[in-house]
Amino acid sequence: MDVLRTGINHGPAHVDLFYGTPTPGNLKAAERFGANIFGVTRQLRYSRGETALSLDMAIFINGLPIATFELKNRLTKQTVLDAVEQYQRDRDPKELLFQFGRCAIHFAVDDQEVRFCTHLKGKGSWFLPFNKGYNDGAGNPPNPAGLATDYLWKEILSKDGLTDILENYAQIVEEKDEKTSRKTLKQVFPRYHQLTVVRRLLASAKETGVGKRYLIEHSAGSGKSNSIAWLAHQLVGLEHNSKALFDSVIVVTDRRVLDKQIKDTIKQFAQVSATVGHAERSGDLRQFIKAGKKVIITTVQKFPFILNEIGDEHRQSKFAIIIDEAHSSQGGKTTAAMNRVLEASVPYNGSDEEGEETVEDKMNNPIAASCGVSGSVKEFV
């Protein structure tokens, strides 16, 4: 990913190996992007020692391998599980093509399902589903126009789609074990649902501008932290009518452990980590906004102070607020808070008459007040 994004240096010389997505109206950049060579090779012989070995397919960009594929067909009694087993059993992770960081992704595909792995480890290779889901469950919906998995090459592996993933999603990140302080590298590639939700949110915001509210449903283990990170750093550069859509993106978490996790994740995904600020104290927010920090991470405990910190000085600024775990609550306290319309002359003090404020209320109250709406949380988050 680093080579594709930044090229390579050798002494005073610099070589670009890939031209990225052109900005609208930039004809020179569009011409350069069109010069990229996206290649597909069938029956790729990948081994120097075992020259007869080959895999079903590989994708290259300007000669650099990006993805490998093992393809199966249920008509021949083979499924995606056979493709997974082939990677685990027959593809030696010591081969250059299969070493860590050499390819962005390895796909196992049949006519019904897609699975992928970012790091081949022999029998320990871990494949995740890359499916659309069907009837609120696993798999893919029937496709009357063709194979159930044709979205892979129509949506994901188009030139623009693959470029988007390589520029904004695929990444090698560093993970630290808090107990042992041991650091490990992990290669990340978006799952289908992660890619879809981020792309839909970006497309909606780009088309309609600011002011809309969204609620995203997710399950445990769905990779929510990565989805938030991908969304946050792409919202920064989003434009509407040729103008920046948001001045800053504020990410609000409900737990301090997750707060640190999301902070670390966003910093690694952001192309320029200096644009990310972590508001550990309420006063940090004003400082970060004034300093031009594009992504600001804070906890729900500090969220009631956000509107006051922004103040009249930034009343004309536009902010995207991403809230982790926006649980709905219809208790008396929360309902009362939802019905309160924030007045500029009356700062919110973080309390109500009905009793002790819950963590959920700390998050819901100022949202409802700032939006000036009543109803359930699902209507305005």
Side-chain angles (χ1 to χ4, degrees), residues 46-47 50 53-55 70 72 78 82-95 98 120-123 125:
Y46 59 84
S47 177
E50 301 288 339
L53 294 178
S54 66
L55 54 85
E70 292 294 352
K72 303 302 175 187
Q78 286 191 310
D82 293 292
V84 169
E85 184 180 356
Q86 194 166 15
Y87 270 117
Q88 294 173 330
R89 184 191 62 218
D90 300 337
R91 304 305 174 214
D92 185 354
K94 294 179 181 178
E95 293 282 359
F98 301 131
L120 294 181
K121 303 177 182 178
K123 292 182 179 179
S125 301

Side-chain angles (χ1 to χ4, degrees), residues 129-132 190-198 218-219 221-224 227:
F130 195 85
N131 298 317
K132 288 185 170 184
R191 295 168 67 180
Y192 183 85
H193 66 274
Q194 294 173 308
L195 196 60
T196 300
V197 72
V198 174
H218 65 87
S219 58
S222 66
K224 178 187 58 180
S227 298

Side-chain angles (χ1 to χ4, degrees), residues 49-313:
E50 301 288 339
T51 55
L53 294 178
S54 66
L55 54 85
D56 288 335
M57 192 172 78
I59 286 179
F60 294 82
I61 297 180
N62 299 335
L64 295 171
I66 303 300
T68 70
F69 300 79
E70 292 294 352
L71 309 174
K72 303 302 175 187
N73 190 327
R74 298 196 180 202
L75 294 176
T76 61
K77 309 286 187 193
Q78 286 191 310
T79 70
V80 68
L81 296 180
D82 293 292
V84 169
E85 184 180 356
Q86 194 166 15
Y87 270 117
Q88 294 173 330
R89 184 191 62 218
D90 300 337
R91 304 305 174 214
D92 185 354
K94 294 179 181 178
E95 293 282 359
L96 193 60
L97 183 65
F98 301 131
Q99 289 178 14
F100 179 78
R102 290 288 181 171
C103 272
I105 191 73
H106 305 282
F107 281 113
V109 188
D110 69 12
D111 45 350
Q112 298 295 320
E113 289 191 53
V114 181
R115 299 194 183 189
F116 77 95
C117 176
T118 57
H119 187 185
L120 294 181
K121 303 177 182 178
K123 292 182 179 179
S125 301
W126 181 251
F127 280 78
L128 288 168
F130 195 85
N131 298 317
K132 288 185 170 184
Y134 181 52
N135 285 340
D136 296 325
N140 286 302
N143 180 7
L147 299 180
T149 51
D150 71 0
Y151 63 90
L152 179 62
W153 54 91
K154 289 181 177 179
E155 297 178 27
I156 309 302
L157 300 178
S158 66
K159 292 181 181 180
D160 290 338
L162 184 56
T163 297
D164 176 45
I165 293 174
L166 298 178
E167 288 180 330
N168 298 308
Y169 296 87
Q171 184 95 353
I172 289 181
V173 299
E174 185 180 87
E175 293 186 341
K176 181 179 179 181
D177 189 313
E178 294 301 325
K179 294 182 179 179
T180 64
S181 295
R182 182 184 177 188
K183 296 179 180 179
T184 57
L185 295 178
K186 179 181 179 182
Q187 190 158 315
V188 178
F189 195 90
R191 295 168 67 180
Y192 183 85
H193 66 274
Q194 294 173 308
L195 196 60
T196 300
V197 72
V198 174
R199 283 179 171 177
R200 286 182 180 178
L201 288 170
L202 293 171
S204 179
K206 188 172 183 178
E207 180 181 352
T208 62
V210 299
K212 290 195 70 173
R213 309 163 186 84
Y214 308 87
L215 179 68
I216 308 303
E217 185 178 8
H218 65 87
S219 58
S222 66
K224 178 187 58 180
S225 295
N226 284 352
S227 298
I228 290 174
W230 285 319
L231 176 62
H233 90 78
Q234 290 183 76
L235 282 172
V236 168
L238 201 62
E239 293 187 349
H240 179 67
N241 295 331
S242 301
K243 293 183 179 179
L245 198 55
F246 301 107
D247 295 283
S248 293
V249 179
I250 299 173
V251 181
V252 184
T253 67
D254 69 337
R255 298 188 301 279
R256 285 184 172 85
V257 173
L258 193 60
D259 179 49
K260 183 181 183 303
Q261 178 185 341
I262 287 181
K263 177 199 72 174
D264 294 342
T265 303
I266 289 177
K267 276 203 166 189
Q268 292 194 75
F269 282 135
Q271 303 298 327
V272 182
S273 62
T275 62
V276 180
H278 185 211
E280 300 186 66
R281 295 170 294 277
S282 59
D284 291 342
L285 186 66
R286 183 186 298 275
Q287 181 183 343
F288 286 152
I289 292 173
K290 184 176 288 188
K293 292 288 186 183
K294 293 300 183 181
V295 181
I296 301 167
I297 303 114
T298 187
T299 59
V300 68
Q301 286 77 15
K302 291 181 276 295
F303 188 72
F305 301 99
I306 284 179
L307 296 176
N308 289 337
E309 284 291 333
I310 291 174
D312 292 332
E313 181 182 351

